[in-house]
Amino acid sequence: MDKLIQMIVAHKGQSTDYRIVIKGVHVFPLGVELDIIHLPSNEHATLVVP
């Protein structure tokens, strides 16, 4: 989650500058794995949200 926050603060882009891809579902810990990509720079962050 920290990497995602740092990426958003660094680029200060609009919400349309990001692509969110659902990569899968985790059983333990229960949650959905997301890959968030900043389109102009191709920087990404992966996180699991409950």
Side-chain angles (χ1 to χ4, degrees):
M1 188 67 132
D2 290 336
K3 185 174 180 180
L4 174 61
I5 293 169
Q6 290 172 359
M7 183 174 62
I8 291 170
V9 170
H11 295 291
K12 299 178 186 173
Q14 298 180 5
S15 61
T16 56
D17 289 347
Y18 297 91
R19 176 184 294 150
I20 300 173
V21 178
I22 299 172
K23 296 195 76 173
V25 177
H26 286 242
V27 176
F28 188 79
L30 184 60
V32 177
E33 183 178 359
L34 302 174
D35 194 26
I36 295 94
I37 305 163
H38 183 250
L39 297 173
S41 69
N42 206 23
E43 186 177 352
H44 71 279
T46 302
L47 62 135
V48 177
V49 292

